[in-house]
Amino acid sequence: MISIKVGQGSCGISAGAAKVYTALEQQLKSNHDVQLSVTGCIGMCYLEPIVDIYSDGELIRLVRVKDTDAKAVADYISTGDNSFIENLIVSDEDKHFLDSQTRIALRGCGIINPNEIDDYIANGGYTALKKALIEMSPEGVIEEIKVAGLAGRGGAGFPTWFKWNAARSSQGEEKYLICNADEGDPGAFMDRAVIESNPHNLIEGMLIGAYAIGAKEAIVYVRAEYPLAIIRLERAIEQAKEKGIVGENIFGSDFSCSFRIKAGAGAFVCGEETALIESLEGSRGMPRLKPPFPAQSGYWHKPSNINNVETFANVSWIIENGGEEFAKLGTDDSKGTKVFAITGKIKRGGLVEIPMGKKLSDVIFDIGGGMKTGRDYKCVQLGGPSGGCIPADMQDTVIDYKKLSATGAIMGSGGMVVMDGSTCMVGMARFFLDFTAKESCGKCTHCRIGTKRLLEILNRICKGEGKEGDIELLEETCNEIKAGALCGLGQTAPNPVLTTIKYYRDEYEAHIKEKRCPAGECIDLVKYSINPEKCIGCSLCSKKCPVGAICGEIKKTFTIDSEKCIRCGQCMDACRFGAVEKR
Amino acid sequence: MSCKCSQNSSDLTLLKETLDRYAAVPGSLITVLQKAQAIYGYLPADVLNHIAEQMSIPAAKVFGVATFYTQFRFKPVGKYLIMLCQGTACHVNGSLMLEKAIFDTLGIKDGETTEDGLFTLKNVACLGCCSLSPVMMINDETYGSLTPQKVRDILAHLKKDALKEAAEQ
């Protein structure tokens, strides 16, 4: 029996995987020896759509498959002749992307069928839950998580066992276990991938957590922007209910737990746990004052525990293999593995899970393959709007919570956006402040008004209207916000500004003093010109120019009138000879 | 001019089933608003007032919650809703140029709708298709690895389709 799996996470579908599936279905419908099925995201996003062919225990992985390749696949299946699919087979270089990873949270993603609970169970699913319920006490589960050294993967890195223990020790019969799947950091998508690709792993981890703290209800708060994740998780919950894995007396034990999904409505601040609770209660998602912590007084003021998706995705593995095994991976400070969503100017972008303790350069060069643009690597942005940029000369920084924090960035939820020399760092800071200024919930004055002021200053600098003293003003405002904001998001909102000033002060100064954007990205500061040595006088740029700023005679060099030029870049896109230059 | 807040005339009966199910469930306001938007395409003022009344929640709180979350809209959207991703990866790969191309072609900025009612532009935080960046989503279709020229072509194509459709009717 040959099994063909088409990777259909959100990115795979966007890249055309659903069309590939339909085309394969058509081609293979008469062949009863082939089983065609859906799987989630293997994490090699840059190679989507991906089709895996399993026969006799061997795997042939096809990449960048188009619907028009379906016939070639069918021909290969019927003849066994490799030449039909030779050009689609994954290269050794690309195989290395997966081979160099250690998958715990992402295990099963892109391998099992997310729509079938039986497939999860056949791959050892729900044995950890059974073990926890039958063989272990709730305290024993918490102890195992403590031995593992698992820390919250949502950003703050707080020890998971401590939160569980606090919720368990809290007085009260009614307790809640909540999963934060409001993955709001732009550039991070590992939680979406886990839910879309292996929803039962999340359910299993949450049920173990619910057992440990003594909760009878588990709730997943998912971003509304992740419709496919919601559909797959809903289906998974239904299937788990049918099997008696969610509900009363699970696996014949005394433990009962219900499970439901709550769709978020789009607010970055709801990633903060107390804001998330407010939102769950149907209110504006504004953070509460801590203490009391959710472990004492959370959802409907009952003891509640909140962890993010990736944290829960590690739990069943830990219970199955023991905390010690997990703790063997990583550094003294940070145990286990971490998933990174690696994007930007990187050659091989996707999901990477590696043991803590690797270096940034291992991820960016060895796994990610370096820059796709041919330009030099400039920096990596970690931790989204709460994080910061780490420059190229610090690429040997070790990935663990403390070492990354020491740079001014944070581990965060694992968004890793790689940049080359074409990205302006002042522009980058402005981008994040635009985001946090819009997303500030408005509760604290320092965050609400401070982020707005930061954005205004950054806007001015990018327009070439920066003034002497602006950098100092930015720093002062940043420190005010850090000191005056209530929640973690407000306190960390200045990080993108502070780290870019720390490492790229010269770029700020070039904008302010010389009215120049070294990266050539700030539109008001760039100038377009035509290189006479490359221009053949074809007049295409002149025809494309929407404001008539380019003139010249056919077969002679054309020129751009900077006064008229609106810097739209259409001439540069149009020129076939690379004669239009930007600086 | 008098206040026109209460002058929408939405068919409130469409909401009955949702309200019957959720009105008495504590904490379900956001769910009700989501269902209402799915029914009406946006949240008209009279619908919000009706929800407030039926759920016995002050109208100020209903409006407060609705305006807090980016998912909720208070105006109808065009035939094509362009969701332009402004995530970090898309930003690094040139999403600002795409926004400019959309403005140059259609004359609309974030949150605006073209006069002919065909296109609405909405900037959104990460769509989660970072490896295809820069990305936009029009209705249910995702377009990846975009350039300003590709955007102009896609918009021209959709406009042509819409005009053809209108002519046929």
Side-chain angles (χ1 to χ4, degrees):
Chain A
M1 187 77 174
I2 294 173
S3 165
I4 299 183
K5 298 183 180 186
V6 182
Q8 295 198 45
S10 286
C11 343
I13 292 174
S14 311
K19 284 179 195 154
V20 172
Y21 186 88
T22 315
L24 283 171
E25 212 171 23
Q26 278 293 324
Q27 288 290 339
L28 298 166
K29 63 184 166 195
S30 53
N31 191 336
H32 300 295
D33 293 332
V34 178
Q35 189 192 16
L36 183 65
S37 65
V38 172
T39 185
C41 170
I42 194 88
M44 300 162 98
C45 305
Y46 67 108
L47 295 175
E48 295 281 5
I50 296 173
V51 174
D52 288 345
I53 305 173
Y54 292 86
S55 66
D56 304 328
E58 293 252 334
L59 162 67
I60 297 178
R61 173 160 291 145
L62 309 181
V63 299
R64 295 200 176 106
V65 182
K66 293 191 205 66
D67 47 356
T68 47
D69 295 324
K71 177 145 194 330
V73 175
D75 287 345
Y76 161 71
I77 302 283
S78 55
T79 63
D81 181 356
N82 260 0
S83 64
F84 284 107
I85 50 167
E86 226 161 27
N87 57 338
L88 298 171
I89 295 176
V90 66
S91 70
D92 287 344
E93 212 186 15
D94 289 327
K95 259 191 196 158
H96 179 71
F97 179 89
L98 277 187
D99 293 346
S100 37
Q101 301 189 32
T102 305
R103 293 200 154 191
I104 293 179
L106 293 181
R107 71 191 185 288
C109 292
I111 296 166
I112 64 153
N113 184 339
N115 296 325
E116 299 298 338
I117 190 170
D118 289 335
D119 207 24
Y120 181 70
I121 293 172
N123 282 280
Y126 289 116
T127 49
L129 176 65
K130 202 169 185 175
K131 180 178 173 187
L133 297 185
I134 312 281
E135 298 171 23
M136 296 167 84
S137 65
E139 290 80 7
V141 171
I142 294 175
E143 183 57 30
E144 206 62 56
I145 299 294
K146 185 179 180 181
V147 170
L150 178 66
R153 298 292 193 243
F158 201 75
T160 304
W161 77 270
F162 191 90
K163 283 171 83 165
W164 287 18
N165 194 43
R168 166 138 206 100
S169 322
S170 273
Q171 297 294 319
E173 275 295 294
E174 211 176 312
K175 292 180 185 177
Y176 295 95
L177 184 98
I178 300 164
C179 173
N180 181 350
D182 190 44
E183 186 172 50
D185 281 5
F189 52 94
M190 63 286 291
D191 291 351
R192 193 206 69 208
V194 168
I195 304 175
E196 285 178 357
S197 310
N198 198 356
H200 288 288
N201 187 27
L202 173 65
I203 297 173
E204 186 173 9
M206 285 180 69
L207 288 171
I208 294 170
Y211 172 68
I213 71 163
K216 292 191 183 67
E217 186 169 359
I219 308 166
V220 188
Y221 185 94
V222 192
R223 274 184 94 188
E225 288 91 335
Y226 287 175
L228 183 66
I230 294 177
I231 292 170
R232 290 202 177 148
L233 188 57
E234 268 171 354
R235 188 180 299 150
I237 294 169
E238 280 312 310
Q239 291 175 349
K241 274 185 192 162
E242 280 164 23
K243 294 249 179 214
I245 291 169
V246 162
E248 301 294 314
N249 301 101
I250 300 169
F251 290 126
S253 70
D254 293 338
F255 175 64
S256 303
C257 189
S258 66
F259 216 103
R260 67 183 164 97
I261 298 175
K262 173 89 179 177
F268 176 65
V269 68
C270 290
E272 201 279 342
E273 56 181 10
T274 59
L276 187 150
I277 290 172
E278 285 286 323
S279 183
L280 271 181
E281 293 178 2
S283 300
R284 291 165 72 98
M286 292 163 106
R288 295 174 180 170
L289 197 64
K290 290 194 275 194
F293 291 92
Q296 284 92 42
S297 171
Y299 183 50
W300 300 122
H301 298 287
K302 305 286 183 206
S304 308
N305 175 72
I306 303 180
N307 293 114
N308 94 322
V309 176
E310 192 188 332
T311 315
F312 284 123
N314 283 301
V315 168
S316 63
W317 191 94
I318 293 171
I319 296 302
E320 211 175 302
N321 298 281
E324 273 178 30
E325 278 303 305
F326 189 81
K328 278 183 192 163
L329 299 163
T331 64
D332 287 346
D333 171 55
S334 310
K335 303 294 182 196
T337 59
K338 176 79 193 88
V339 182
F340 292 97
I342 173 163
T343 58
K345 302 284 187 185
I346 195 87
K347 199 164 159 190
R348 299 197 278 270
L351 289 175
V352 174
E353 182 171 0
I354 43 154
M356 302 273 192
K358 291 253 186 194
K359 292 175 186 163
L360 284 175
S361 54
D362 293 335
V363 179
I364 295 163
F365 294 100
D366 183 44
I367 299 177
M371 302 304 101
K372 65 179 173 189
T373 54
R375 297 181 74 142
D376 284 342
Y377 164 53
K378 182 172 183 176
C379 70
V380 61
Q381 212 283 345
L382 275 182
S386 304
C389 293
I390 304 177
D393 57 13
M394 292 167 75
Q395 66 185 31
D396 288 334
T397 304
V398 168
I399 297 173
D400 84 1
Y401 285 100
K402 275 191 187 151
K403 302 258 168 47
L404 289 177
S405 297
T407 66
I410 57 166
M411 177 86 76
S413 59
M416 205 183 245
V417 184
V418 179
M419 297 170 217
D420 67 7
S422 65
T423 306
C424 168
M425 300 320 285
V426 186
M428 199 66 218
R430 179 177 68 161
F431 165 77
F432 280 115
L433 261 295
D434 181 56
F435 182 83
T436 32
K438 278 181 193 150
E439 293 291 342
S440 171
C441 79
K443 184 165 184 158
C444 308
T445 317
H446 289 75
C447 172
R448 182 182 70 242
I449 299 177
T451 50
K452 189 103 186 144
R453 292 292 94 84
L454 288 179
L455 179 62
E456 285 166 1
I457 301 167
L458 292 166
N459 274 335
R460 260 199 298 113
I461 297 176
C462 289
K463 271 192 187 153
E465 294 163 7
K467 292 185 293 214
E468 199 69 37
D470 271 351
I471 299 179
E472 292 70 22
L473 185 58
L474 283 172
E475 287 174 323
E476 191 191 332
T477 315
C478 284
N479 291 329
E480 293 282 337
I481 298 171
K482 273 180 164 269
L486 177 68
C487 79
L489 299 181
Q491 288 161 9
T492 55
N495 282 352
V497 182
L498 289 172
T499 54
T500 47
I501 293 179
K502 183 173 171 189
Y503 298 118
Y504 297 97
R505 203 180 182 98
D506 54 331
E507 282 195 32
Y508 278 85
E509 284 169 349
H511 281 76
I512 295 170
K513 292 179 184 159
E514 300 163 37
K515 312 296 175 204
R516 183 173 67 83
C517 174
E521 198 187 29
C522 292
I523 238 170
D524 292 301
L525 300 180
V526 297
K527 266 197 182 131
Y528 284 89
S529 59
I530 293 172
N531 182 341
E533 281 172 22
K534 288 186 181 167
C535 177
I536 60 147
C538 71
S539 85
L540 192 60
C541 57
S542 163
K543 283 183 191 132
K544 281 277 175 186
C545 181
V547 291
I550 307 178
C551 48
E553 275 177 53
I554 294 287
K555 292 192 178 169
K556 286 183 182 163
T557 302
F558 278 62
T559 53
I560 301 177
D561 181 349
S562 300
E563 297 281 301
K564 280 191 192 166
C565 174
I566 55 163
R567 301 170 188 91
C568 66
Q570 289 194 43
C571 50
M572 201 168 177
D573 293 344
C575 183
R576 295 190 202 125
F577 307 95
V580 181
E581 291 171 352
K582 185 169 89 165
R583 67 185 156 81
Chain B
M1 271 198 26
S2 59
C3 173
K4 291 185 176 159
C5 297
S6 57
Q7 288 185 5
N8 324 58
S9 46
S10 313
D11 180 1
L12 300 173
T13 55
L14 297 175
L15 206 56
K16 190 171 180 305
E17 198 183 319
T18 303
L19 285 168
D20 284 349
R21 181 164 168 207
Y22 291 104
V25 182
S28 56
L29 175 57
I30 293 172
T31 310
V32 172
L33 292 173
Q34 284 168 332
K35 303 234 177 234
Q37 182 157 288
I39 293 170
Y40 301 101
Y42 69 110
L43 294 174
D46 59 346
V47 168
L48 290 172
N49 282 322
H50 181 66
I51 290 171
E53 234 176 74
Q54 296 294 310
M55 296 184 77
S56 306
I57 297 173
K61 173 162 180 181
V62 174
F63 279 78
V65 169
T67 51
F68 185 83
Y69 295 97
T70 51
Q71 189 189 8
F72 299 121
R73 310 182 278 265
F74 306 96
K75 279 187 214 154
V77 287
K79 181 178 163 76
Y80 299 109
L81 175 63
I82 308 169
M83 295 204 283
L84 181 64
C85 182
Q86 299 285 6
T88 320
C90 288
H91 172 79
V92 170
N93 285 314
S95 62
L96 284 178
M97 298 303 287
L98 305 185
E99 194 177 350
K100 200 172 170 305
I102 293 171
F103 180 75
D104 291 344
T105 317
L106 301 174
I108 48 170
K109 288 182 182 164
D110 182 24
E112 294 177 352
T113 302
T114 51
E115 273 178 27
D116 56 12
L118 277 184
F119 295 95
T120 300
L121 173 63
K122 191 164 166 50
N123 284 340
V124 293
C126 199
L127 288 169
C129 305
C130 306
S131 55
L132 303 172
S133 60
V135 177
M136 69 178 176
M137 207 170 182
I138 300 182
N139 297 349
D140 281 333
E141 184 101 11
T142 308
Y143 300 86
S145 310
L146 293 170
T147 60
Q149 191 53 47
K150 276 194 198 167
V151 169
R152 285 189 282 268
D153 292 345
I154 292 163
L155 295 177
H157 190 79
L158 289 176
K159 199 164 182 171
K160 213 170 117 190
D161 279 359
L163 289 176
K164 206 170 132 194
E165 222 173 90
E168 278 167 10
Q169 275 172 7

